[in-house]
Amino acid sequence: MPRSARINIGQPVLHAICLAALNVKEGESVVHIGAGTGYYTTLLAKLTGQTGSVLAYEIEEDLAERAAHNLRDFPNVTVRHRSGSEGPIQECDSIYVSAGATAPLDVWLDALRPNGRLLFPLTPADGPGGMPGAGGVLLITRVASDRYDARFVSPAMFIPCVGLATKRRR
């Protein structure tokens, strides 16, 4: 069974809370990491409007192909089949991560413009059976070129970003 067959779109209420916390505005540039088939990428595209843009990364080839097909009518969306954990990531106003990581990655933080927001599921490195356990969603805002503020948004449990569940930030 391919890994993508075990992935679901998550809890819609949790994503509604997360998208509200991210506070995407019309005209903004958003990066979506872990786009899956494009369900939440569609919502991000609608929030940014026709003057904004969404760049979606999906590491699973079959999911990236489905996302590109599903989002073909959104001219403000680009889907890329590649990891969103490797740089460079284009400069943007917001990053929405749909898979767990043990820390925010430098490539994510570096991509944020001033007042840019990063929302990601913070997961523990070691959970039951080697899988990540319950964690929480964190919202990080770049308040200066060298300063970030963080706010806890909600408890959550997410699948890990491929290759990141135990990767540490330098």
Side-chain angles (χ1 to χ4, degrees):
M1 173 186 328
R3 183 179 185 285
S4 62
R6 298 185 304 255
I7 297 173
N8 62 55
I9 65 164
Q11 182 58 253
V13 169
L14 173 62
H15 284 278
I17 291 167
C18 291
L19 289 170
L22 192 59
N23 193 27
V24 173
K25 298 171 189 73
E26 189 168 337
E28 287 190 328
S29 172
V30 177
V31 172
H32 185 196
I33 297 170
T37 60
Y39 183 86
Y40 295 109
T41 311
T42 301
L43 297 179
L44 291 166
K46 290 184 176 279
L47 291 170
T48 63
Q50 294 179 350
T51 60
S53 65
V54 179
L55 174 57
Y57 292 105
E58 177 51 54
I59 196 168
E60 301 288 341
E61 185 174 11
D62 60 327
L63 294 178
E65 288 172 1
R66 287 173 54 195
H69 176 76
N70 292 340
L71 293 157
R72 68 190 177 282
D73 294 333
F74 289 88
N76 63 332
V77 175
T78 302
V79 177
R80 291 196 181 143
H81 169 230
R82 69 161 256 215
S83 172
S85 66
E86 299 167 359
I89 302 286
Q90 77 175 28
E91 185 179 76
C92 60
D93 300 298
S94 296
I95 300 175
Y96 190 70
V97 182
S98 294
T102 57
L105 298 180
D106 290 332
V107 296
W108 299 343
L109 296 171
D110 292 344
L112 294 176
R113 292 182 177 132
N115 298 309
R117 289 112 30 227
L118 162 65
L119 189 131
F120 79 103
L122 180 66
T123 56
D126 298 308
M131 293 298 292
V137 177
L138 245 129
L139 176 66
I140 296 176
T141 303
R142 185 175 206 159
V143 294
S145 64
D146 62 346
R147 192 170 140 240
Y148 301 85
D149 285 345
R151 176 172 72 88
F152 177 81
V153 174
S154 173
M157 181 179 271
F158 275 75
I159 63 165
C161 278
V162 173
L164 288 188
T166 58
K167 187 182 274 187
R168 303 271 183 214
R169 237 181 110 238
R170 60 175 185 238

